[in-house]
Amino acid sequence: MVADRPPRYDIALGKRRGVMDMSADEYPVWKKGADEYPAPLRVVGPGAVFVEHRLKIPQVAESAYIAPTAVLAGDVTVGPHSRVLFGAVITAEGGSVEIGANCVIMENAVIRGVPNQETSLGDYVLVGPHAHLTRCVIEGDSRIATGAVVFNGARIETGAEVEFNAVVYVNTVVPSGVAVPMGWFAGGQPAELVAPGDWDRIRAIMGPLDYPGTVFGVGDSDTRSLTSGVARRYARGLALHHKDHIVPDERHLPSD
């Protein structure tokens, strides 16, 4: 003889009965509606570090992906379907950074915005691992390969590319369709491409482009005090990070 199923206590009906005999309408959890169990807020980049810097919080499209260990600081915008991978840093140090749609910022790349100059990536831009971009414009449909450096005031026109470990110097324009070869130097408007061993030509191009003034805000006559002056400027500006706040995951709300 099979023993009867032990009775269970029915919270909703306040009486004992077999659980298997309950209907869906009777079971209390199944009776809860959307108002009683609201859907959780959709957040972007859970586990990533979002930093409120200079009273600005990163803005990220809902369809974008921000990996854990990536860092977004300040006035940063990431567009739809873009991906920011592990260890990448996008920081707005007094100037905004805008990332378009369908961009990929790969591992350990750094994109830095600074005051008084646009920093933006158009749509369909691939930035390789360990690439470094500062205060520059990448118009779109471009690849900035592993280890490449694009300096302040540079512009990479639509469809241009910068190969592995190449350098695009300050205030340089790389025209559409041009590819800066692996390890080469690009300088000027439009860019002249120079092989890495031709130091005399590289120095000749660098002079008129004004690296000290563009990057550090000092003139060539200040060379003797360049290092100490630059350090003071950076330290003073970076002191504002004392007022930063880490944005908790539940406040990583999508911008769209």
Side-chain angles (χ1 to χ4, degrees), residues 91-131:
T91 180
E93 301 286 354
S96 64
V97 179
E98 296 185 9
I99 309 296
N102 295 288
C103 293
V104 178
I105 314 302
M106 298 189 72
E107 294 86 351
N108 301 306
V110 176
I111 302 175
R112 185 184 307 275
V114 296
N116 306 318
Q117 187 84 354
E118 180 183 6
T119 304
S120 66
L121 278 63
D123 300 339
Y124 302 102
V125 174
L126 173 62
V127 178
H130 299 280

Side-chain angles (χ1 to χ4, degrees), residues 137-190:
V137 174
I138 316 297
E139 292 184 353
D141 295 294
S142 292
R143 180 175 63 92
I144 313 300
T146 300
V149 179
V150 183
F151 274 104
N152 305 50
R155 177 177 292 270
I156 311 299
E157 293 186 345
T158 303
E161 295 190 348
V162 182
E163 290 290 353
F164 302 95
N165 297 313
V167 173
V168 178
Y169 202 57
V170 297
N171 300 319
T172 289
V173 176
V174 179
S176 296
V178 171
V180 182
M182 187 182 305
W184 281 44
F185 172 92
Q189 301 180 10

Side-chain angles (χ1 to χ4, degrees), residues 54-69:
R54 301 186 183 222
L55 304 179
K56 298 287 189 178
I57 294 175
Q59 302 294 310
V60 179
E62 184 173 7
S63 59
Y65 170 73
I66 312 297
T69 74

Side-chain angles (χ1 to χ4, degrees), residues 199-216:
W199 292 111
D200 290 340
R201 184 57 192 154
I202 290 173
R203 290 190 186 95
I205 295 171
M206 288 171 61
L209 295 175
D210 188 22
Y211 180 90
T214 301
V215 177
F216 303 128

